Amino acid sequence: MATSADIPKINLEKLAQAHWSDQERANVSVVVDFFQHLMNEHDFDYTLKNYAGGSYLQHNLAIPSEMEGLVSYVRDMVKRFPEYSFDVKKIMADQDHVILHSHATMKAKHRGNEDKGFVITDTFRLKDGKLAEHWDAIQPIDFSTRLLFLMVGGQRGNQNSLF
């Protein structure tokens, strides 16, 4: 079992930009809290308690819409890859949009190794301080993640547009 020291933490203080407005800073805080609990801590109860219940439109075709669908998808992935995590490298904010540029890895021993894992850009739109939409772009880096990408591709979880 991973200890809290083993769980990657998104360092918002380090990644914050001085030019963000108060609203952008608040939106970034929501996204970072959500992403940290779901993708790094795999705290599905916290995620559902704090982020479910509203309208959440998913544009990744493999993932069902609404927060419950996303949590179910990530929960299944974590069963296969319990050390799955994100190292957020950059955060960009523009009004109601927040973008995370990250290095995701499936194994703890690959964290920090830029020859392993995925490069992922997640774009969130918030409405009234709540998560409303999500898009992503995923680039597998090494052979095993490219193979994994091919194996799970093609399954459609929603009928939403890509854009």
Side-chain angles (χ1 to χ4, degrees):
M1 184 77 169
T3 67
S4 61
D6 297 328
I7 297 171
K9 298 285 185 213
I10 301 170
N11 187 341
L12 181 54
E13 187 175 306
K14 177 183 171 190
L15 297 169
Q17 300 293 312
H19 66 273
W20 289 345
S21 69
D22 290 343
Q23 186 59 54
E24 288 168 336
R25 196 170 309 279
N27 286 343
V28 168
S29 293
V30 169
V31 170
V32 165
D33 181 71
F34 164 73
F35 214 71
Q36 177 66 39
H37 284 92
L38 179 62
M39 297 304 203
N40 286 341
E41 297 177 19
H42 310 147
D43 189 342
F44 307 120
D45 293 336
Y46 176 93
T47 303
L48 289 170
K49 179 182 175 198
N50 290 282
Y51 295 101
S55 176
Y56 180 77
L57 190 60
Q58 178 61 252
H59 294 280
N60 178 322
L61 297 179
I63 302 173
S65 271
E66 303 305 334
M67 194 57 62
E68 295 81 2
L70 172 61
V71 168
S72 177
Y73 182 89
V74 174
R75 186 185 320 245
D76 288 345
M77 187 168 45
V78 168
K79 285 178 187 171
R80 293 176 61 202
F81 304 100
E83 298 172 340
Y84 174 72
S85 66
F86 278 71
D87 178 16
V88 176
K89 302 291 189 175
K90 293 181 182 157
I91 301 175
M92 292 148 275
D94 183 22
Q95 297 180 34
D96 60 353
H97 287 84
V98 175
I99 301 169
L100 304 180
H101 189 225
S102 307
H103 179 213
T105 51
M106 308 312 257
K107 297 179 180 181
K109 70 180 183 179
H110 293 158
R111 290 184 191 135
N113 181 348
E114 293 183 8
D115 293 327
K116 299 289 184 182
F118 298 89
V119 176
I120 301 180
T121 302
D122 289 282
T123 302
F124 295 90
R125 184 180 67 81
L126 289 87
K127 183 175 180 180
D128 301 324
K130 296 186 185 290
L131 298 170
E133 287 186 85
H134 171 258
W135 300 260
D136 59 16
I138 304 169
Q139 177 184 353
I141 298 171
D142 60 289
F143 177 77
S144 62
T145 54
R146 288 179 187 178
L147 184 60
L148 174 66
F149 210 61
L150 288 172
M151 290 172 40
V152 299
Q155 298 172 357
R156 195 152 183 157
N158 68 62
Q159 296 299 315
N160 302 327
S161 76
L162 291 171
F163 306 97

